[in-house]
Amino acid sequence: MPVRRYTRTARWLHWLVALAVIATVPAGLVMVGEDISRGLQDSLFIFHKNLGVIILILVVVRLAWRALHPAPPLPDSVPRLQRRIALATHWLLYAALLFMTLTGYIRVTAGGFPLEMLDALGIPPLAPRSDPLAEAAKTAHFYGRFALIGLVALHVAAAAYHGLIRRDGVFGRIWPPLGR
Ligand code: HEM
């Protein structure tokens, strides 16, 4: 039986979020470094914060889409334990993305800093102005990256295993982003 694939919308949303996360993590790491010019730091902050907000919106859209279009079942060749690990990893990835975007959002808005894209749209900060809250969100954002990076590494390793070693059609469920 042919392996069932994700819908085209689910596939391009997946790759859009993947690209955005790949871009925002290095920007986040470089912008908090010490040996960096003020101009570059400001640009990276603007890029990181605003791309992060876009990721938050995309993740919410993905979750809504997924609620309406459940993930297709994995092929029977995938052992039970691997299915469970895959399912857990996928939900933890959603949780980690929400955690990182929300803590980033709170860190900025509770700290009283601008969030250019939302400010331009006239969307007011949803978090109250509070330095202790901003500090707590900053710490959570700092440590949350380890969970997110670990989960992404596991996810990419599993994708490479299926796509390059097993060649069992699992990677083709999510690739290519466009096309039928
Ligand atoms: C998937 C989304 C996101 C990821 C993966 C991410 C990742 C990171 C990483 C790795 C750092 C460096 C942490 C450090 O070494 O101190 C960082 C810092 C930061 N991020 Fe994010 N971030 C995301 C979303 C956001 C969002 C949505 C905002 C704000 C709207 C934001 C605002 C910030 C700020 C202000 C810092 C600097 C923290 C500080 O030292 O004050 N991030 N982020």
Side-chain angles (χ1 to χ4, degrees):
M1 217 169 65
V3 178
R4 283 193 41 211
R5 314 177 68 206
Y6 283 90
T7 59
R8 188 166 62 166
T9 305
R11 278 182 276 134
W12 73 253
L13 276 171
H14 170 276
W15 289 104
L16 212 58
V17 170
L19 275 180
V21 171
I22 288 169
T24 209
V25 170
L29 293 175
V30 172
M31 74 195 191
V32 295
E34 281 172 11
D35 301 326
I36 175 173
S37 74
R38 190 60 204 263
L40 178 61
Q41 187 174 47
D42 286 349
S43 306
L44 287 177
F45 259 95
I46 291 173
F47 175 76
H48 180 83
K49 290 186 293 180
N50 291 284
L51 190 56
V53 172
I54 293 172
I55 295 174
L56 173 59
I57 295 166
L58 288 174
V59 170
V60 172
V61 172
R62 280 186 74 180
L63 285 169
W65 184 263
R66 192 174 167 134
L68 298 173
H69 305 84
L74 281 162
D76 294 340
S77 58
V78 178
R80 229 171 118 100
L81 180 63
Q82 274 183 34
R83 284 167 191 276
R84 290 200 171 155
I85 295 173
L87 189 69
T89 310
H90 296 163
W91 286 111
L92 286 171
L93 272 167
Y94 281 121
L97 285 172
L98 286 176
F99 184 83
M100 287 305 285
T101 50
L102 290 173
T103 52
Y105 175 84
I106 295 170
R107 192 268 174 275
V108 170
T109 48
F113 297 103
L115 229 177
E116 296 73 11
M117 197 177 75
L118 299 184
D119 296 345
L121 292 172
I123 299 173
L126 298 175
R129 174 78 182 85
S130 153
D131 286 335
L133 179 61
E135 273 307 305
K138 178 178 167 177
T139 307
H141 199 70
F142 176 86
Y143 287 109
R145 71 185 165 155
F146 296 114
L148 180 66
I149 292 170
L151 286 165
V152 169
L154 185 63
H155 187 63
V156 171
Y161 171 70
H162 285 289
L164 302 174
I165 299 174
R166 293 292 306 271
R167 298 173 191 262
D168 52 7
V170 169
F171 185 67
R173 284 156 39 93
I174 198 75
W175 182 265
L178 298 173
R180 281 190 300 121

